[in-house]
Amino acid sequence: MATLNPNLLKQYAQAGFNFVLLHNAAFVSDRGRKLGKAARSKSWPVAEVSHQDAIHHMNKGGNIGVQMSTAGYLVVDYDPRADENAGTPENGLQRILDYIGVNIANTARVVTGNPEGKAKGQHIYLKVDPDWRGRTKLPKDSHPFPGVELKHSAGQYVVAAGSVHPGSNDLTQLGDLYRWH
């Protein structure tokens, strides 16, 4: 099983992100749903969570997220499980990066800890003007970038590097560590 790593939170603090306290990767609701990527509190969008608070929470076994509205970043969230072209040059991630003209080698990236299959998801961090209000909603059905979600707005967060993926629907299997690439 992967081990939480609070040392990986430092880059977020330096970039000005606000942290979100998430459940432990193995936490399961009363209805049997894995909640390891869910916020522990409904008030997370207005909560002020410091770097030290995030480290303390992670040291107690909890995952951490970062709020999208606080630091002026757009995150391209890619899940290859939702992309029929994963592993080919026509995958949704490559298509959107080509479309917006971003060279992935020049970005901050986190490889997500999904345990299913060989292809791992990614969070690609792109610096944008904090007042940027570009389009972040992609159509749910048949958009040209399968497996891609854009995260930027208030009310959105992504799981931070150093956290552990809650794993598949198999309640006994946790995923790998979210880690900087």
Side-chain angles (χ1 to χ4, degrees):
M1 181 175 108
T3 303
L4 295 164
N5 186 346
N7 294 327
L8 299 180
L9 299 175
K10 182 178 180 182
Q11 288 175 268
Y12 295 109
Q14 291 171 336
F17 280 95
N18 191 31
F19 295 98
V20 180
L21 304 180
L22 307 180
H23 287 285
N24 175 291
F27 185 79
V28 178
S29 73
D30 294 338
R31 295 182 175 153
R33 188 170 153 240
K34 285 191 164 192
L35 296 178
K37 295 196 287 185
R40 289 182 53 103
S41 168
K42 291 181 181 179
S43 65
W44 71 264
V46 295
E48 294 287 329
V49 178
S50 72
H51 182 212
Q52 287 304 315
D53 291 340
I55 290 171
H56 179 72
H57 178 71
M58 194 173 266
N59 282 334
K60 292 188 337 186
N63 275 337
I64 294 294
V66 290
Q67 290 188 27
M68 289 296 87
S69 61
T70 58
Y73 284 85
L74 166 72
V75 172
V76 177
D77 182 352
Y78 177 63
D79 183 350
R81 296 173 299 175
D83 183 358
E84 62 189 29
N85 295 316
T88 74
E90 291 298 311
N91 70 67
L93 176 61
Q94 190 57 56
R95 290 175 71 180
I96 198 163
L97 293 175
D98 290 347
Y99 180 76
I100 61 178
V102 172
N103 179 345
I104 199 167
N106 299 329
T107 64
R109 291 186 284 163
V110 170
V111 176
T112 64
N114 170 31
E116 298 173 16
K118 294 180 181 168
K120 298 291 186 186
Q122 295 186 57
H123 294 162
I124 294 93
Y125 290 77
L126 306 174
K127 186 73 173 154
V128 295
D129 185 293
D131 296 323
W132 180 78
R133 295 294 174 250
R135 181 182 223 174
T136 59
K137 293 285 185 190
L138 297 172
K140 290 284 184 196
D141 298 336
S142 68
H143 67 73
F145 313 112
V148 172
E149 291 182 62
L150 301 178
K151 309 279 178 103
H152 173 270
S153 309
Q156 293 182 309
Y157 64 86
V158 295
V159 178
S163 296
V164 173
H165 196 284
S168 65
N169 291 332
D170 172 1
L171 297 179
T172 63
Q173 180 185 11
L174 292 181
D176 295 328
L177 188 71
Y178 284 73
R179 59 181 169 72
W180 290 105
H181 184 276

